[in-house]
Coordinates of all heavy atoms in Angstrom, one line a residue:
M218 N 102.2 93.8 214.6 CA 101.3 93.8 213.4 C 101.5 95.1 212.7 O 101.4 96.2 213.3 CB 99.9 93.5 213.8 CG 98.9 93.5 212.6 SD 99.3 92.1 211.5 CE 98.2 92.4 210.1
V219 N 101.8 95.0 211.4 CA 101.9 96.2 210.6 C 100.6 96.6 210.0 O 99.8 95.8 209.5 CB 102.9 95.9 209.4 CG1 103.1 97.2 208.6 CG2 104.2 95.3 209.9
S220 N 100.3 97.9 210.2 CA 99.0 98.4 209.8 C 99.1 98.7 208.3 O 100.2 98.9 207.7 CB 98.7 99.7 210.5 OG 99.6 100.7 210.1
P221 N 97.9 98.8 207.6 CA 97.9 99.0 206.1 C 98.6 100.4 205.8 O 99.2 100.5 204.8 CB 96.5 99.0 205.8 CG 95.8 98.2 206.8 CD 96.6 98.4 208.1
G222 N 98.4 101.3 206.7 CA 99.0 102.6 206.5 C 100.5 102.6 206.4 O 101.1 103.2 205.5
Q223 N 101.1 101.9 207.4 CA 102.5 101.7 207.4 C 103.0 100.9 206.2 O 104.1 101.3 205.6 CB 102.9 101.0 208.7 CG 102.9 101.9 209.9 CD 103.2 101.1 211.2 OE1 102.7 100.0 211.4 NE2 104.0 101.7 212.1
L224 N 102.3 99.9 205.8 CA 102.7 99.1 204.7 C 102.7 100.0 203.4 O 103.6 99.9 202.6 CB 101.7 97.9 204.5 CG 102.2 96.7 203.7 CD1 103.3 96.1 204.5 CD2 101.0 95.7 203.5
Y225 N 101.6 100.8 203.3 CA 101.5 101.7 202.1 C 102.7 102.7 202.1 O 103.3 102.9 201.0 CB 100.2 102.4 202.2 CG 100.0 103.5 201.1 CD1 99.7 103.1 199.8 CD2 100.2 104.8 201.4 CE1 99.6 104.1 198.8 CE2 100.1 105.8 200.4 CZ 99.8 105.4 199.1 OH 99.6 106.4 198.2
L226 N 103.0 103.2 203.3 CA 104.1 104.2 203.4 C 105.5 103.5 203.0 O 106.3 104.0 202.2 CB 104.2 104.7 204.8 CG 105.0 106.0 205.0 CD1 104.2 107.2 204.3 CD2 105.1 106.3 206.5
L227 N 105.6 102.2 203.4 CA 106.8 101.5 203.1 C 106.9 101.2 201.6 O 108.0 101.4 201.0 CB 106.8 100.2 203.9 CG 108.1 99.3 203.8 CD1 109.3 99.9 204.5 CD2 107.8 97.9 204.3
A228 N 105.8 100.8 201.0 CA 105.8 100.5 199.6 C 106.1 101.8 198.8 O 106.9 101.8 197.8 CB 104.4 100.0 199.2
V229 N 105.5 102.9 199.2 CA 105.8 104.2 198.5 C 107.3 104.6 198.6 O 107.9 105.0 197.6 CB 104.9 105.3 199.0 CG1 105.3 106.7 198.6 CG2 103.4 105.0 198.6
T230 N 107.8 104.4 199.8 CA 109.2 104.7 200.0 C 110.1 103.9 199.2 O 111.1 104.4 198.6 CB 109.6 104.6 201.5 OG1 108.6 105.3 202.3 CG2 111.0 105.0 201.8
V231 N 109.8 102.6 199.1 CA 110.7 101.7 198.3 C 110.6 102.0 196.9 O 111.6 102.1 196.2 CB 110.2 100.2 198.6 CG1 110.9 99.3 197.6 CG2 110.6 99.7 200.0
M232 N 109.4 102.3 196.4 CA 109.2 102.7 195.0 C 110.0 104.0 194.7 O 110.6 104.1 193.6 CB 107.7 102.8 194.6 CG 107.1 101.5 194.4 SD 105.5 101.7 193.6 CE 104.5 102.2 195.0
A233 N 109.9 104.9 195.6 CA 110.6 106.2 195.4 C 112.1 106.0 195.3 O 112.8 106.6 194.5 CB 110.2 107.2 196.5
L234 N 112.6 105.1 196.2 CA 114.1 104.9 196.2 C 114.5 104.1 194.9 O 115.5 104.5 194.3 CB 114.4 104.0 197.4 CG 114.4 104.7 198.7 CD1 114.6 103.8 199.9 CD2 115.5 105.8 198.8
V235 N 113.6 103.2 194.4 CA 114.0 102.5 193.2 C 113.9 103.4 192.0 O 114.8 103.4 191.2 CB 113.0 101.3 193.0 CG1 113.1 100.7 191.6 CG2 113.2 100.2 194.0
A236 N 112.9 104.3 192.0 CA 112.9 105.3 190.9 C 114.1 106.2 190.9 O 114.6 106.6 189.9 CB 111.6 106.1 191.0
L237 N 114.5 106.7 192.1 CA 115.6 107.6 192.2 C 116.9 106.9 191.8 O 117.7 107.4 191.1 CB 115.7 108.0 193.7 CG 116.6 109.2 194.0 CD1 116.0 110.5 193.3 CD2 116.8 109.4 195.4
A238 N 117.0 105.6 192.2 CA 118.2 104.8 191.8 C 118.3 104.6 190.2 O 119.3 104.7 189.6 CB 118.2 103.5 192.5
A239 N 117.1 104.5 189.6 CA 117.0 104.3 188.2 C 117.3 105.6 187.5 O 117.9 105.6 186.4 CB 115.7 103.7 187.8
A240 N 116.8 106.7 188.1 CA 117.0 108.0 187.4 C 118.3 108.7 187.6 O 118.7 109.6 186.9 CB 115.8 108.9 187.8
A241 N 119.0 108.2 188.7 CA 120.3 108.9 189.1 C 121.3 109.0 187.9 O 121.8 110.1 187.6 CB 120.9 108.2 190.3
P242 N 121.6 107.9 187.2 CA 122.5 108.0 186.1 C 122.1 108.9 185.0 O 122.9 109.6 184.5 CB 122.6 106.5 185.6 CG 122.1 105.7 186.7 CD 121.1 106.5 187.4
V243 N 120.8 108.9 184.7 CA 120.3 109.8 183.7 C 120.5 111.3 184.1 O 121.0 112.1 183.4 CB 118.8 109.5 183.4 CG1 118.3 110.5 182.4 CG2 118.7 108.1 183.0
L244 N 120.1 111.6 185.4 CA 120.2 113.0 185.9 C 121.7 113.4 185.9 O 122.0 114.5 185.6 CB 119.6 113.0 187.3 CG 118.1 112.9 187.4 CD1 117.6 112.8 188.8 CD2 117.4 114.0 186.6
L245 N 122.6 112.4 186.3 CA 124.0 112.8 186.4 C 124.5 113.0 185.0 O 125.3 113.9 184.8 CB 124.8 111.6 187.0 CG 124.7 111.5 188.5 CD1 125.3 110.2 189.0 CD2 125.3 112.7 189.2
G246 N 124.0 112.3 184.0 CA 124.5 112.5 182.6 C 124.0 113.8 182.1 O 124.8 114.5 181.4
I247 N 122.8 114.2 182.4 CA 122.3 115.5 182.0 C 123.1 116.6 182.7 O 123.5 117.6 182.0 CB 120.8 115.7 182.4 CG1 120.0 114.7 181.5 CG2 120.3 117.1 182.2 CD1 118.5 114.6 181.9
A248 N 123.4 116.5 184.0 CA 124.2 117.5 184.7 C 125.6 117.6 184.1 O 126.1 118.7 183.9 CB 124.2 117.2 186.1
R249 N 126.2 116.5 183.7 CA 127.5 116.5 183.2 C 127.5 117.2 181.8 O 128.4 118.0 181.5 CB 128.0 115.1 183.0 CG 129.5 115.0 182.8 CD 130.0 113.6 182.7 NE 129.5 112.7 183.8 CZ 128.9 111.5 183.6 NH1 128.7 111.0 182.4 NH2 128.5 110.8 184.7
E250 N 126.5 116.9 181.0 CA 126.4 117.5 179.7 C 126.2 119.0 179.8 O 126.8 119.8 179.0 CB 125.2 116.9 178.9 CG 125.3 117.1 177.4 CD 124.1 116.5 176.7 OE1 123.7 115.4 177.2 OE2 123.6 117.0 175.7
G251 N 125.4 119.4 180.7 CA 125.2 120.8 181.0 C 126.4 121.6 181.3 O 126.7 122.6 180.8
R252 N 127.2 120.9 182.2 CA 128.5 121.5 182.6 C 129.5 121.6 181.4 O 130.1 122.7 181.3 CB 129.2 120.7 183.7 CG 128.7 121.0 185.1 CD 129.7 120.6 186.2 NE 130.0 119.2 186.1 CZ 129.3 118.2 186.7 NH1 128.2 118.5 187.4 NH2 129.6 116.9 186.6
E253 N 129.5 120.6 180.6 CA 130.4 120.7 179.4 C 130.0 121.8 178.5 O 130.8 122.4 177.9 CB 130.4 119.3 178.7 CG 131.3 118.3 179.4 CD 131.3 116.9 178.8 OE1 130.8 116.8 177.7 OE2 131.7 116.0 179.5
R254 N 128.7 121.9 178.3 CA 128.2 123.0 177.4 C 128.6 124.4 178.0 O 129.0 125.3 177.2 CB 126.7 122.9 177.2 CG 126.4 121.8 176.3 CD 124.9 121.8 175.9 NE 124.5 120.6 175.2 CZ 123.3 120.3 174.9 NH1 122.3 121.1 175.2 NH2 123.0 119.2 174.2
L255 N 128.5 124.5 179.3 CA 128.8 125.8 179.9 C 130.3 126.1 179.7 O 130.7 127.2 179.5 CB 128.5 125.8 181.4 CG 127.0 126.0 181.8 CD1 126.8 125.8 183.2 CD2 126.6 127.4 181.3
R256 N 131.1 125.0 179.8 CA 132.6 125.2 179.7 C 132.9 125.6 178.3 O 133.8 126.3 178.0 CB 133.3 123.8 180.1 CG 134.7 124.0 180.5 CD 135.4 122.7 180.7 NE 134.6 121.8 181.6 CZ 134.5 120.5 181.4 NH1 135.2 119.9 180.5 NH2 133.8 119.8 182.2
R257 N 132.2 125.0 177.3 CA 132.4 125.3 175.9 C 132.0 126.8 175.6 O 132.4 127.3 174.5 CB 131.7 124.4 175.0 CG 132.6 123.1 174.6 CD 131.9 122.3 173.6 NE 131.6 121.0 174.1 CZ 130.5 120.4 174.0 NH1 129.4 121.0 173.6 NH2 130.3 119.1 174.5
G258 N 131.2 127.3 176.4 CA 130.8 128.7 176.2 C 129.4 128.9 175.6 O 129.2 129.4 174.5
G259 N 128.4 128.5 176.4 CA 127.0 128.8 176.1 C 126.3 127.7 175.4 O 126.5 126.5 175.6
P260 N 125.3 128.1 174.5 CA 124.4 127.1 173.9 C 125.1 126.1 173.0 O 126.3 126.3 172.7 CB 123.4 128.0 173.2 CG 124.1 129.3 173.0 CD 125.0 129.4 174.1
D261 N 124.3 125.2 172.5 CA 124.9 124.1 171.7 C 125.1 124.6 170.3 O 124.3 124.3 169.4 CB 123.9 122.9 171.7 CG 124.6 121.7 171.2 OD1 125.8 121.7 171.0 OD2 123.9 120.7 170.9
L262 N 126.2 125.3 170.1 CA 126.5 125.9 168.8 C 127.5 124.9 168.1 O 128.3 124.3 168.7 CB 127.1 127.3 168.9 CG 126.2 128.4 169.4 CD1 127.0 129.6 169.7 CD2 125.2 128.7 168.4
P263 N 127.4 124.9 166.7 CA 128.4 124.1 166.0 C 129.7 124.7 166.1 O 129.9 125.9 166.3 CB 127.9 124.1 164.6 CG 127.0 125.3 164.5 CD 126.4 125.5 165.9
A264 N 130.8 123.9 166.0 CA 132.1 124.4 166.1 C 132.4 125.5 165.1 O 131.9 125.4 164.0 CB 133.1 123.2 166.0
E265 N 133.3 126.4 165.5 CA 133.7 127.5 164.6 C 134.5 126.9 163.4 O 135.4 126.1 163.6 CB 134.5 128.5 165.3 CG 133.8 129.4 166.3 CD 132.9 130.4 165.6 OE1 133.4 131.0 164.6 OE2 131.7 130.6 166.0
P266 N 134.2 127.3 162.2 CA 135.0 126.8 161.1 C 136.4 127.3 161.1 O 136.7 128.4 161.5 CB 134.3 127.4 159.8 CG 133.5 128.6 160.4 CD 133.1 128.3 161.8
D267 N 137.3 126.4 160.8 CA 138.7 126.7 160.8 C 139.1 127.5 159.6 O 139.1 127.1 158.5 CB 139.5 125.4 160.9 CG 140.9 125.6 161.3 OD1 141.3 126.7 161.6 OD2 141.7 124.6 161.2
E268 N 139.5 128.8 159.9 CA 139.8 129.7 158.8 C 141.2 129.3 158.1 O 141.4 129.6 157.0 CB 139.9 131.1 159.3 CG 138.6 131.7 159.8 CD 137.6 131.9 158.7 OE1 138.0 132.1 157.6 OE2 136.4 131.8 159.0
S269 N 142.0 128.6 158.8 CA 143.3 128.3 158.3 C 143.2 127.3 157.1 O 144.0 127.3 156.2 CB 144.2 127.7 159.4 OG 143.7 126.5 159.9
G270 N 142.2 126.4 157.2 CA 142.1 125.4 156.1 C 141.2 125.9 154.9 O 140.5 125.1 154.3
E271 N 141.4 127.2 154.6 CA 140.6 127.7 153.5 C 141.1 127.1 152.1 O 142.3 127.1 151.9 CB 140.6 129.2 153.5 CG 139.5 129.9 152.7 CD 139.4 131.4 152.9 OE1 140.1 131.9 153.9 OE2 138.8 132.0 152.2
S272 N 140.2 126.8 151.3 CA 140.6 126.2 150.0 C 141.2 127.2 149.1 O 140.8 128.4 149.2 CB 139.4 125.5 149.3 OG 138.4 126.4 149.1
A273 N 142.0 126.8 148.2 CA 142.7 127.7 147.3 C 141.8 128.3 146.2 O 141.8 129.5 145.8 CB 143.9 127.0 146.6
D274 N 140.8 127.4 145.7 CA 140.0 127.9 144.7 C 138.7 128.6 145.2 O 137.6 128.0 145.2 CB 139.6 126.7 143.7 CG 138.9 125.6 144.5 OD1 139.1 125.5 145.7 OD2 138.3 124.8 143.8
S275 N 138.9 129.8 145.8 CA 137.8 130.5 146.4 C 137.0 131.2 145.3 O 136.0 131.8 145.6 CB 138.3 131.5 147.4 OG 139.2 132.4 146.8
S276 N 137.4 131.1 144.0 CA 136.7 131.7 143.0 C 135.3 131.1 142.8 O 134.4 131.8 142.3 CB 137.5 131.6 141.7 OG 137.7 130.3 141.4
D277 N 135.2 129.8 143.2 CA 133.9 129.2 143.0 C 132.9 129.8 144.0 O 131.7 129.8 143.7 CB 134.0 127.7 143.4 CG 134.8 126.9 142.3 OD1 134.9 127.5 141.2 OD2 135.2 125.8 142.6
H278 N 133.4 130.4 145.1 CA 132.4 130.9 146.1 C 132.2 132.4 145.9 O 131.4 133.0 146.6 CB 133.0 130.7 147.5 CG 133.1 129.2 147.8 ND1 134.0 128.7 148.7 CD2 132.6 128.1 147.2 CE1 133.9 127.4 148.7 NE2 133.1 127.0 147.8
C279 N 133.0 133.0 145.0 CA 132.8 134.5 144.7 C 131.8 134.7 143.6 O 131.9 134.0 142.5 CB 134.1 135.1 144.4 SG 135.1 135.6 145.8
C280 N 130.9 135.6 143.8 CA 129.9 135.9 142.7 C 130.6 136.5 141.5 O 131.5 137.4 141.6 CB 128.9 136.9 143.3 SG 127.7 137.3 142.0
R281 N 130.3 136.0 140.3 CA 131.0 136.5 139.1 C 130.3 137.8 138.7 O 130.8 138.5 137.9 CB 131.0 135.5 138.0 CG 130.1 134.8 137.6 CD 130.3 133.6 136.7 NE 129.3 132.7 137.2 CZ 128.5 132.1 136.4 NH1 128.6 132.2 135.1 NH2 127.5 131.4 136.9
H282 N 129.2 138.2 139.3 CA 128.5 139.4 138.9 C 128.9 140.6 139.8 O 129.2 141.7 139.3 CB 127.0 139.2 139.0 CG 126.5 138.0 138.2 ND1 126.5 138.1 136.8 CD2 126.1 136.8 138.5 CE1 126.0 136.9 136.4 NE2 125.8 136.1 137.4
C283 N 128.9 140.4 141.1 CA 129.2 141.5 142.0 C 130.4 141.2 142.9 O 130.9 142.1 143.6 CB 128.0 141.7 142.9 SG 127.7 140.4 144.1
G284 N 131.0 140.0 142.8 CA 132.2 139.7 143.5 C 132.0 139.3 145.0 O 133.0 139.1 145.7
A285 N 130.7 139.2 145.5 CA 130.5 138.9 146.9 C 130.8 137.5 147.1 O 130.6 136.6 146.3 CB 129.0 139.2 147.2
E286 N 131.3 137.2 148.4 CA 131.7 135.9 148.7 C 130.4 135.1 149.2 O 129.6 135.7 149.9 CB 132.7 135.9 149.9 CG 134.1 136.0 149.4 CD 135.1 135.7 150.5 OE1 134.9 134.8 151.2 OE2 136.0 136.5 150.6
N287 N 130.2 133.9 148.7 CA 129.1 133.1 149.1 C 129.5 131.7 149.6 O 130.6 131.2 149.2 CB 128.2 132.9 147.9 CG 127.4 134.2 147.5 OD1 126.4 134.5 148.1 ND2 128.0 134.9 146.6
E288 N 128.7 131.1 150.4 CA 129.0 129.8 150.9 C 128.9 128.8 149.7 O 128.1 129.0 148.8 CB 128.0 129.4 152.0 CG 128.1 130.3 153.2 CD 129.4 130.1 154.0 OE1 130.0 129.0 154.0 OE2 129.9 131.1 154.6
G289 N 129.7 127.7 149.8 CA 129.8 126.8 148.7 C 128.5 126.1 148.3 O 128.2 125.8 147.1
E290 N 127.6 126.0 149.3 CA 126.4 125.2 149.1 C 125.3 126.0 148.4 O 124.3 125.4 148.0 CB 125.9 124.5 150.4 CG 125.3 125.5 151.4 CD 126.3 125.7 152.5 OE1 127.5 125.7 152.3 OE2 125.8 125.9 153.6
F291 N 125.4 127.3 148.3 CA 124.4 128.1 147.7 C 124.5 128.2 146.2 O 125.6 128.2 145.7 CB 124.4 129.5 148.3 CG 124.0 129.6 149.8 CD1 124.9 130.1 150.7 CD2 122.8 129.1 150.2 CE1 124.6 130.1 152.0 CE2 122.5 129.1 151.6 CZ 123.4 129.6 152.5
A292 N 123.4 128.2 145.6 CA 123.4 128.3 144.1 C 123.2 129.7 143.6 O 123.5 130.0 142.4 CB 122.3 127.4 143.5
Y293 N 122.8 130.6 144.5 CA 122.6 132.0 144.0 C 123.3 132.9 145.0 O 123.4 132.6 146.2 CB 121.0 132.3 144.0 CG 120.3 131.5 143.0 CD1 119.7 130.3 143.4 CD2 120.3 131.9 141.7 CE1 119.0 129.5 142.4 CE2 119.6 131.1 140.7 CZ 119.0 130.0 141.1 OH 118.3 129.2 140.2
C294 N 123.7 134.0 144.5 CA 124.4 135.0 145.3 C 123.5 135.6 146.3 O 122.4 135.9 146.0 CB 125.0 136.1 144.3 SG 125.8 137.4 145.2
R295 N 124.1 135.8 147.5 CA 123.3 136.4 148.6 C 123.2 138.0 148.4 O 122.4 138.6 149.1 CB 123.9 136.1 149.9 CG 125.2 136.7 150.2 CD 125.9 136.0 151.4 NE 127.3 136.3 151.4 CZ 127.9 137.0 152.4 NH1 127.2 137.5 153.4 NH2 129.2 137.2 152.3
E296 N 124.1 138.5 147.6 CA 124.1 140.0 147.4 C 123.2 140.4 146.2 O 122.4 141.3 146.3 CB 125.5 140.5 147.2 CG 126.4 140.4 148.4 CD 126.0 141.3 149.6 OE1 125.4 142.4 149.3 OE2 126.2 140.9 150.7
C297 N 123.4 139.8 145.1 CA 122.7 140.2 143.9 C 121.8 139.1 143.3 O 121.1 139.4 142.3 CB 123.7 140.6 142.8 SG 124.6 139.2 142.1
A298 N 121.7 138.0 144.0 CA 120.8 136.9 143.7 C 121.1 136.3 142.3 O 120.2 135.6 141.7 CB 119.3 137.4 143.8
G299 N 122.2 136.6 141.8 CA 122.6 136.0 140.5 C 123.1 134.6 140.7 O 123.5 134.2 141.7
P300 N 123.0 133.8 139.6 CA 123.4 132.4 139.7 C 124.9 132.3 139.9 O 125.6 133.0 139.2 CB 123.0 131.8 138.4 CG 122.8 132.9 137.5 CD 122.4 134.1 138.3
L301 N 125.4 131.4 140.7 CA 126.8 131.3 141.0 C 127.4 130.3 140.0 O 126.8 129.3 139.7 CB 127.1 130.8 142.4 CG 126.6 131.9 143.5 CD1 126.8 131.3 144.9 CD2 127.4 133.2 143.4
Ligands
LIG568 ZN1 126.5 138.7 143.3

């Protein structure tokens, strides 16, 4: 005869095994992602921009007031705050 205590222990063990089996792929995926990030060199940073593919018309990104280079998406110069 199985006592209630043993039955409870069996049920808890089965549930723990089922939970572990369900969580194993997720944990393995997290571990794999972490290893890949370490291999890439640290935190999840965006890829470095390719300097070789610089566009020819860089005049659009240069401030016409002070000549400072600005990113294409900005509307105002980061040096003199003039409109680009
Ligand atoms: Zn400027």
Side-chain angles (χ1 to χ4, degrees):
M218 182 62 190
V219 182
S220 69
Q223 284 175 316
L224 203 64
Y225 174 77
L226 202 66
L227 184 71
V229 166
T230 306
V231 168
M232 278 194 285
L234 285 173
V235 168
L237 195 66
V243 179
L244 292 172
L245 283 173
I247 291 169
R249 197 180 309 132
E250 197 179 325
R252 274 202 304 273
E253 279 175 18
R254 283 187 189 177
L255 280 175
R256 205 185 310 145
R257 270 189 238 126
D261 195 12
L262 291 170
E265 288 288 317
D267 194 6
E268 294 292 333
S269 63
E271 204 171 341
S272 58
D274 58 341
S275 58
S276 58
D277 288 344
H278 301 158
C279 274
C280 178
R281 44 196 146 131
H282 307 285
C283 70
E286 276 192 45
N287 289 275
E288 298 292 329
E290 69 256 33
F291 293 121
Y293 295 94
C294 176
R295 64 192 165 116
E296 292 293 331
C297 69
L301 296 175

